[in-house]
Amino acid sequence: EELVESGGGWVQSGGSLRLSCAASGFTFSIYSMNWVRQAPGKGLEWVSYISSSSSIIFYADSVKGRFTISRDNAKNSLYLQMNSLRVEDTAVYYCARDVSRCSSSTCYENWFDPWGQGTLVTVSS
Amino acid sequence: DIQMTQSPSSLSASVGDRVTITCRASQSVSNYLNWYQQKPGKAPKLLIYAASTLQSGVPSRFSGSGSGTDFTLTISSLQPDDFATYYCQQTYSSPPRTFGQGTKVDIK
């Protein structure tokens, strides 16, 4: 089970980047996925969530209206389109699989596992 | 939004020490509480989920407890490989799936 991010790099403030996360070793299409970021020297910040069928999507307030999460289950891939980038978006971006404990049709606790190795996004003013 | 507060923010300990890290939620999260370990330059790794369930492959010296608003991660006998930053996370009320600010464990 592996997740590999790509697409990070350097961009000027106001610019755009598209991150990708390639999944392998598990049935990608049945899992919800997340993006989490970590600014240099800082803690973890959850960014966005997408359900397995893309029917449910959530964003952190800090990126709402600027970032778009999507997925292509046929390609086992997760994406994060980042527009109107700001200096404060500078971070390592991780994708992480959302795992739940489910019984019958009801799901309970959930957690993130595994995580990708991360891709660095640097936004310069 | 639910806020997660970890204490201490950092601690120094010796190999063999018993280490306890606390995570407090601003409102009840039931047992929807996870713990992750992160080493410098690496991705976070899941240690414990649902407050007290040890992830497969994680050494048994790690344990988690608590429910509601107060949770604890305990390392029964600190090993050299355990020097890292530890994060709690709630997934009870989401979005957002909030993380604590982290606790850095370093060598005394």
Side-chain angles (χ1 to χ4, degrees):
Chain A
E1 300 178 335
E2 188 177 26
L3 298 169
V4 178
E5 301 94 338
S6 61
W10 180 90
V11 64
Q12 281 197 313
S13 180
S16 298
L17 274 178
R18 188 195 196 207
L19 305 184
S20 298
C21 170
S24 61
F26 64 97
T27 306
F28 178 75
S29 61
I30 66 172
Y31 287 95
S32 299
M33 297 292 296
N34 297 273
W35 286 100
V36 177
R37 69 183 180 184
Q38 186 170 36
K42 302 298 184 181
L44 301 171
E45 180 188 15
W46 171 81
V47 171
S48 186
Y49 163 96
I50 186 168
S51 63
S52 58
S53 64
S54 303
S55 60
I56 301 173
I57 287 175
F58 298 131
Y59 297 100
D61 288 345
S62 57
V63 306
K64 201 172 295 181
R66 301 187 298 122
F67 290 11
T68 302
I69 191 171
S70 63
R71 64 190 296 161
D72 184 336
N73 287 340
K75 294 183 177 179
N76 292 335
S77 293
L78 173 73
Y79 306 102
L80 186 68
Q81 177 67 44
M82 304 186 296
N83 298 332
S84 302
L85 281 162
R86 305 167 179 169
V87 171
E88 56 265 34
D89 294 319
T90 294
V92 174
Y93 285 74
Y94 298 100
C95 59
R97 185 178 66 175
D98 200 292
V99 183
S100 297
R101 180 178 72 84
C102 298
S103 176
S104 299
S105 60
T106 303
C107 291
Y108 301 94
E109 306 91 350
N110 60 291
W111 52 92
F112 293 1
D113 181 68
W115 297 57
Q117 86 289 350
T119 187
L120 176 62
V121 172
T122 303
V123 184
S124 173
S125 57
Chain B
D1 294 354
I2 296 177
Q3 307 302 317
M4 307 301 293
T5 303
Q6 291 181 229
S7 60
S9 295
S10 64
L11 65 91
S12 296
S14 301
V15 172
D17 284 354
R18 182 181 182 87
V19 170
T20 299
I21 299 169
T22 297
C23 179
R24 175 164 288 176
S26 59
Q27 63 190 76
S28 177
V29 297
S30 184
N31 68 330
Y32 288 57
L33 192 286
N34 309 314
W35 290 97
Y36 301 89
Q37 177 194 64
Q38 186 180 35
K39 296 181 180 179
K42 300 295 186 181
K45 170 190 169 184
L46 177 69
L47 294 177
I48 288 169
Y49 61 91
S52 60
T53 304
L54 198 65
Q55 170 69 344
S56 176
V58 174
S60 59
R61 62 181 179 273
F62 290 93
S63 64
S65 64
S67 183
T69 61
D70 294 316
F71 301 87
T72 298
L73 172 69
T74 299
I75 309 172
S76 60
S77 178
L78 195 68
Q79 298 302 301
D81 191 48
D82 302 336
F83 292 97
T85 300
Y86 295 85
Y87 294 92
C88 63
Q89 177 203 29
Q90 71 83 21
T91 57
Y92 179 75
S93 174
S94 59
R97 295 166 180 254
T98 329
F99 292 92
Q101 82 278 15
T103 296
K104 184 177 181 181
V105 177
D106 61 22
I107 302 172
K108 180 184 277 186

